[in-house]
Amino acid sequence: MSESRVRALALALVAAAGIFCGLRLELTGSITHFLPSGEGAGPGEVAELAGLSRRLMESELSRSMVLRVSGAPSAPAAARALADVLAAREDVAWAEVDGTPSDPEAFYRLYFARRIELASDAPEREVPALFEDAELSARARALRRRLAGPGSPLVARSAPADPLGLFEELLERARLSRPGSGDAPDAAAGHVFLQTRASPFDAEAQEPLLAAIEAAFARLRPTYDGELVLEAAGVNRIALASEKSIRRDVSFISIVSVLGVAALFFAVFRSPRALGLALLPPAAGVAVSAAVGAAAFSPVHGVTLAFGLALVGVAIDYPIHLMNHHALAGTRGSRPVGERVSPRATAARVRPSLLMGGLTTALGFGVLTLADFPGVDAMGAFASLGVISALAFTLLALPAFLEAAPADPPAFPLRAARALGGLARRLASRPVRAALLPGLLLLVAAAGLPRLRWQDDPAYLTTPDPALLAEDQRVRAAAADVEPGRFVVALADDAEGALRRNDRVAERLRAAVADGHLEGARSLHALLFSEDLQRRNRAAFRAVSDAGLRIDTAFAREGFRPGAFAPFADELAAPGPAPLRPADLVGTPFERVLDATLVTLGSRSAAITYLRGVHSPEGIEAALVGLEGVHYFDQASLLRGIYRDYRRSTLQLVVFGGVLVFVALLARYRRGGAALAAFLPSALVALAVLGLFGLCGVPVNLLAVVSLVLVMGMGVDYGVFMVDAARDTARLDATLLGLAVSCLTTIFVFGTLALSEHPALRAIGATTGLGIALAFAVSPGVLALAGGRR
């Protein structure tokens, strides 16, 4: 195939991958990308809780928003008007104000006939006490007060069948479990509770909705007196702001990286064409990786994409190595010769080094695909595929873009290469001096590694806007909404088993509220008992002898006509309705409560109780002691533990990858000294970077560990290139110049990552930028081990 056809085919393939990315690539900033799915998270219920944590991030609760209208006495009315406007939108599942019941008539139809079955958490103790004379007299007086109130027609209609007020208690229990039912600090404020249909992490759906909320409030505001203020709480607002911030960072990193690399290439080669050619292989690697990512890992997280863009700093090693050797191919020893070397000949000469360096780097990244950590496997696949694609482009296509090497190499690159080569040879001839820097790095590693602090909190991977976060917390506190990430979960083999355990949880938490450990809870128990507890309630009422006579006697003393409550006595003697089951809530206004509080995890069921105003996690845990399958769930604490395990397993994979790389080097060179020399910049620098972080007190997170793989990959490239060039003066000079340009290019790329607002990107940038600089500084010392002084 002619070189012109090679050029056309290569550019067409890269363009096709780029167009595919433009059409299919979806970018996300969602933290769920880095949340465990449950697989590999640990044994038994720990894995189930990890899966539950991820599921709840996309659940009905996470799709909920709270809007707070305040600033004037008209705020509650404005909130009701805003709720009406939003409820009519197709992208809003429902919207309502404060603690208003969803549908009183639906509640009556579903629950009035089962008020006896849902009367008590502890029927064996509480039902007999209900029929004591003093309690019945108190109930009679309460009924008389209700009959004198504004709702007397409804009370008069239901009183013969419900003299004890069981239905009113059930209605109040359901109301108190709803958001906005607590005592808000600002009584003049109105709260709108709504749920979006789309995921809170779907930026395309959430951005227009949030804009529509602002616009609707702006239209309503002039129609009410006072200076009304709208505040909001919702996962969607924080996720959207985070995603926009990541997009800004990725754009900034891309622009600054390209400008920095362009300036460097122009300074060294005095040719913009050289920069364009050097960027072709990494561009091909990023395009192919992104295309595969769009097809296999969609949506792609912004951190993964930024990590992929950082491949420019890795994959550019290969074209730089080839181009430097080709530019200086007209030298033999230190004298120019009048021969022009073809690009294919240069590529053939450096092919073994490029293949060894590229494949060992890809191997190091490829090991990460075995990681249990949800985001790391994608990053490993993205990086390894990108390195292989860039390497293939360098060896197969890039020579077609190069001209024959000039007989007289450019003066500046030649002088720079000879200066670097001379320095390296002087170091190699003095092994003691050559060992000073590696020895210093070993001391840094030995002193710093014991002091290393790990940051295992996944929340550290993203930084919400502090103002948005403060507003979110303020609105939730004012609206008496539940705390995200804190709840109690009851696990069982089936839904009935989960409801039975949930019954016990409700009883224990009621006591915990009385003891001041928390302010309240939202639970399915307010609407649905287990079938067992419902039957026990019916049995406890029927076990009361002469229940009708006792009610007649006590209520007659308070002025009620004897026999007025015979319908209730007849109902106690009847078998009663079938127990209320989860399926009975489907298709009712209460289905959304069911969906949020009773979920399926694999083959098991989980009943979730959301908590509000947690003051003492220890007190809650103590209240739940002895309940099988019941856990107080602090999402942040659980994920910290899981991430700690992931970090340890990822470190093990990094070590395993290093061993595989060393074995590959040993197989290539068949000499321990040469293999060790090629591996030295990789292993030594990784340990030194961690040691330096330990000495400086900088906490290290999981993504910094992943970045060490990138450092080790480039360190191996440096080592392989130096070992292969150790015995050839001209080749050594070209190699060192190429390494210097590669190092500075990588520092430009990762230096901009270190400037990111996001801790995840900063961790990648700081680790790789520092590591690559040290790897280049150590590489001349490789000559002493490789026998280059001869």
Side-chain angles (χ1 to χ4, degrees):
M1 184 182 296
S2 66
E3 299 291 30
S4 59
R5 290 187 177 181
V6 171
R7 290 193 295 269
L9 179 60
L11 292 177
L13 290 176
V14 174
I19 292 172
F20 181 81
C21 290
L23 296 175
R24 292 285 301 274
L25 184 65
E26 294 182 36
L27 189 65
T28 179
S30 168
I31 195 174
T32 60
H33 193 79
F34 295 104
L35 291 180
S37 62
E39 298 178 3
E45 292 182 346
V46 175
E48 289 180 315
L49 293 176
L52 177 63
S53 175
R54 183 183 181 93
R55 176 168 178 170
L56 289 177
M57 291 297 290
E58 298 278 3
S59 69
E60 290 78 6
L61 181 66
S62 70
R63 296 202 301 270
S64 299
M65 288 190 70
V66 183
L67 308 179
R68 181 171 185 259
V69 181
S70 61
S74 59
R80 285 191 291 272
L82 182 60
D84 291 340
V85 171
L86 297 177
R89 291 183 58 88
E90 291 185 358
D91 51 1
V92 174
W94 53 266
E96 57 192 31
V97 294
D98 296 322
T100 305
S102 299
D103 187 339
E105 286 298 323
F107 192 89
Y108 181 88
R109 290 193 301 270
L110 191 61
Y111 285 98
F112 188 82
R114 296 180 172 91
R115 66 199 180 285
I116 295 173
E117 283 74 13
L118 300 170
S120 171
D121 291 335
E124 292 80 8
R125 182 182 72 252
E126 294 180 349
V127 171
L130 192 62
F131 286 90
E132 297 291 337
D133 284 345
E135 179 64 22
L136 288 174
S137 297
R139 299 265 172 168
R141 291 191 292 273
L143 177 58
R144 183 173 292 281
R145 287 192 297 271
R146 293 201 303 275
L147 287 170
S152 58
L154 293 177
V155 175
R157 188 180 67 178
S158 62
D162 188 26
L164 302 180
L166 299 179
F167 179 72
E168 283 77 5
E169 290 180 351
L170 179 56
L171 184 63
E172 179 66 7
R173 188 173 69 210
R175 189 191 70 82
L176 290 176
S177 72
R178 295 168 55 78
S181 57
D183 296 327
D186 187 357
H191 297 93
V192 179
F193 297 86
L194 65 90
Q195 186 181 103
T196 68
R197 296 190 185 278
S199 164
F201 306 106
D202 184 349
E204 292 185 1
Q206 295 297 339
E207 188 168 10
L209 171 60
L210 294 175
I213 292 174
E214 294 285 349
F217 178 72
R219 290 193 301 269
L220 288 171
R221 187 178 180 185
T223 62
Y224 292 90
D225 296 332
E227 293 296 325
L228 294 176
V229 176
L230 176 66
E231 295 177 296
V235 175
N236 55 348
R237 301 174 72 240
I238 296 174
L240 181 62
S242 178
E243 182 163 334
K244 286 183 176 180
S245 177
I246 286 180
R247 287 180 182 274
R248 286 195 302 269
D249 271 7
V250 169
S251 300
F252 171 75
I253 288 166
S254 302
I255 293 171
V256 174
S257 298
V258 170
L259 291 177
V261 173
L264 173 65
F265 268 72
F266 186 78
V268 174
F269 298 106
R270 309 290 180 179
S271 169
R273 183 173 184 273
L275 171 62
L277 294 180
L279 288 177
L280 279 177
V286 171
V288 171
S289 296
V292 173
F297 295 103
S298 185
V300 176
H301 198 275
V303 172
T304 302
L305 183 59
F307 191 77
L309 292 174
L311 280 175
V312 173
V314 180
I316 205 170
D317 282 2
Y318 312 130
I320 288 175
H321 191 68
L322 173 61
M323 291 166 62
N324 269 286
H325 278 274
H326 187 58
L328 301 177
T331 62
R332 179 173 293 114
S334 60
R335 300 190 310 273
V337 296
E339 63 178 88
R340 294 174 64 84
V341 182
S342 73
R344 294 289 175 187
T346 304
R349 190 171 69 252
V350 299
R351 183 181 296 120
S353 299
L354 288 177
L355 284 174
M356 193 66 202
L359 294 179
T360 51
T361 300
L363 178 63
F365 283 122
V367 169
L368 292 181
T369 60
L370 303 176
D372 294 326
F373 183 63
V376 171
D377 55 351
M379 294 171 73
F382 199 106
S384 59
L385 182 59
V387 167
I388 292 173
S389 301
L391 179 63
F393 192 101
T394 300
L395 291 174
L396 300 177
L398 186 59
F401 293 86
L402 299 177
E403 299 175 352
D408 297 316
F412 178 77
L414 182 60
R415 288 197 303 270
R418 287 175 174 172
L420 289 170
L423 176 62
R425 282 185 288 275
R426 286 193 296 274
L427 277 176
S429 65
R430 297 174 176 83
V432 175
R433 291 187 181 181
L436 287 178
L437 181 57
L440 178 61
L441 295 182
L442 279 175
L443 289 177
V444 168
L449 287 176
R451 303 183 184 182
L452 194 63
R453 293 188 296 112
W454 295 101
Q455 174 56 266
D456 293 316
D457 188 351
Y460 186 75
L461 298 177
T462 183
T463 304
D465 184 328
L468 277 181
L469 193 59
E471 181 181 340
D472 190 280
Q473 295 170 345
R474 186 169 60 250
V475 171
R476 291 187 187 278
D481 197 20
V482 296
E483 297 186 23
R486 284 183 171 180
F487 44 88
V488 175
V489 57
L491 291 164
D493 292 333
D494 54 31
E496 173 62 15
L499 289 174
R500 287 189 183 189
R501 291 175 177 177
N502 198 47
D503 293 338
R504 302 289 305 281
V505 168
E507 186 179 3
R508 299 285 186 92
L509 289 181
R510 189 169 57 182
V513 170
D515 292 337
H517 298 316
L518 74 160
E519 295 177 9
R522 285 172 56 189
S523 171
L524 181 60
H525 184 77
L527 299 175
L528 182 63
F529 290 0
S530 67
E531 294 184 32
D532 174 70
L533 182 55
Q534 293 181 61
R535 293 190 182 97
R536 285 166 49 205
N537 267 282
R538 169 66 65 168
F541 273 93
R542 296 188 67 178
V544 177
S545 58
D546 301 326
L549 179 60
R550 294 187 186 190
I551 291 174
D552 262 357
T553 303
F555 277 64
R557 287 198 300 266
E558 299 298 329
F560 288 95
R561 178 175 54 83
F565 306 109
F568 182 65
D570 294 340
E571 190 170 351
L572 290 180
L580 189 66
R581 297 181 175 89
D584 297 323
L585 300 184
V586 176
T588 73
F590 318 108
E591 182 177 1
R592 63 174 182 255
V593 180
L594 178 70
D595 292 340
T597 54
L598 187 64
V599 300
T600 301
L601 296 176
S603 61
R604 306 188 76 197
S605 295
I608 306 167
T609 300
Y610 300 96
L611 307 180
R612 174 169 56 86
V614 174
H615 300 304
S616 173
E618 297 79 8
I620 296 173
E621 290 178 336
L624 301 174
V625 168
L627 297 184
E628 182 182 358
V630 173
H631 307 270
Y632 169 68
F633 188 98
D634 187 325
Q635 192 173 40
S637 297
L638 176 72
L639 291 181
R640 279 195 295 270
I642 293 172
Y643 268 59
R644 182 173 57 251
D645 294 339
Y646 280 154
R647 184 249 304 163
R648 290 170 178 169
S649 65
T650 303
L651 273 174
Q652 292 171 355
L653 286 176
V654 171
V655 174
F656 176 63
V659 171
L660 290 181
V661 167
F662 182 75
V663 170
L665 292 172
L666 196 59
R668 158 79 190 282
Y669 294 113
R670 301 184 183 280
R671 290 190 300 115
L676 182 61
F679 191 64
L680 177 66
S682 169
L684 181 58
V685 167
L687 294 175
V689 168
L690 291 179
L692 190 59
F693 286 156
L695 290 176
C696 296
V698 177
V700 180
N701 63 20
L702 181 59
L703 291 183
V705 175
V706 175
S707 302
L708 286 178
V709 180
L710 194 149
V711 171
M712 294 177 71
M714 293 192 67
V716 168
D717 288 349
Y718 290 3
V720 167
F721 296 162
M722 289 298 295
V723 169
D724 287 353
R727 299 174 186 274
D728 185 327
T729 297
R731 185 171 180 180
L732 175 62
D733 295 351
T735 295
L736 279 166
L737 178 61
L739 294 189
V741 175
S742 296
C743 175
L744 292 175
T745 301
T746 305
I747 290 174
F748 270 118
V749 172
F750 292 112
T752 54
L753 280 177
L755 297 176
S756 170
E757 297 178 0
H758 293 266
L761 298 183
R762 283 203 303 269
I764 294 173
T767 305
T768 50
L770 177 62
I772 297 307
L774 291 177
F776 175 71
V778 170
S779 58
V782 168
L783 291 180
L785 283 174
R789 62 184 181 277
R790 295 196 297 271

